[in-house]
Amino acid sequence: MEFLNRFVTAILSAFIFSFILALLLFDMGGFWISFIIVMAYSLGIFLIAGVSFSFVGDYIMNKIDSQNKWVNYMSGFVVYVIGGIVGNIFFFIGLYHEGFAGYTISMMIYGVLGALLFYHMRYVVRLSFQRFIIRE
């Protein structure tokens, strides 16, 4: 059930991320064209990097586990920011062999925002699963 939770989180995060980014990139030829292009790229990243890193991130957050909810939230926030940067670096190495360019920083920001979106969507999906799907 935990993998399904992460899978649904990845799909919803990719959809929301693509929707917002398509609004910003609207001049490429229309909203839906922009949305499809961004969704095709981001869905793979959220499914591969997001789901994979969420297992690693949860492992790290369980090691930091505190009685204070604010400390737990902030540690998860920092872990996912770092995960967004690291995940983006791996995709840059895989896609571009030229090294860092002028747009690298902006792409890192997209990676961090995507990771934080995934982190917060995990809370929403987990709460939804507990309320509506898993009834004990």
Side-chain angles (χ1 to χ4, degrees):
M1 189 57 105
E2 189 64 28
F3 184 77
L4 179 63
N5 186 325
R6 294 169 202 267
F7 184 77
V8 169
T9 301
I11 291 174
L12 289 175
S13 297
F15 183 83
I16 293 169
F17 185 79
S18 300
F19 185 83
I20 293 170
L21 206 54
L23 287 175
L24 298 174
L25 300 174
F26 193 80
D27 62 340
M28 279 181 20
F31 172 78
W32 292 110
I33 301 280
S34 300
F35 177 78
I36 290 169
I37 291 170
V38 174
M39 184 70 168
Y41 181 73
S42 67
L43 184 62
I45 292 174
F46 276 104
L47 286 174
I48 295 169
V51 171
S52 300
F53 181 77
S54 68
F55 284 108
V56 174
D58 285 353
Y59 176 78
I60 293 169
M61 290 183 332
N62 285 337
K63 294 291 184 185
I64 301 173
D65 193 26
S66 171
Q67 298 298 326
N68 188 343
K69 290 184 179 185
W70 180 250
V71 171
N72 287 336
Y73 172 77
M74 288 309 295
S75 65
F77 192 90
V78 170
V79 166
Y80 273 79
V81 164
I82 293 169
I85 293 171
V86 170
N88 223 332
I89 289 173
F90 282 122
F91 276 100
F92 266 124
I93 291 170
L95 293 176
Y96 306 107
H97 301 289
E98 301 165 0
F100 289 102
Y103 55 86
T104 303
I105 298 299
S106 63
M107 293 304 286
M108 290 290 177
I109 292 170
Y110 289 143
V112 168
L113 293 176
L116 291 176
L117 176 64
F118 190 96
Y119 177 59
H120 290 94
M121 286 303 296
R122 287 264 340 247
Y123 285 119
V124 172
V125 170
R126 187 179 300 147
L127 181 65
S128 298
F129 270 41
Q130 288 173 350
R131 278 220 174 129
F132 302 113
I133 295 177
I134 303 171
R135 301 211 177 216
E136 296 181 30

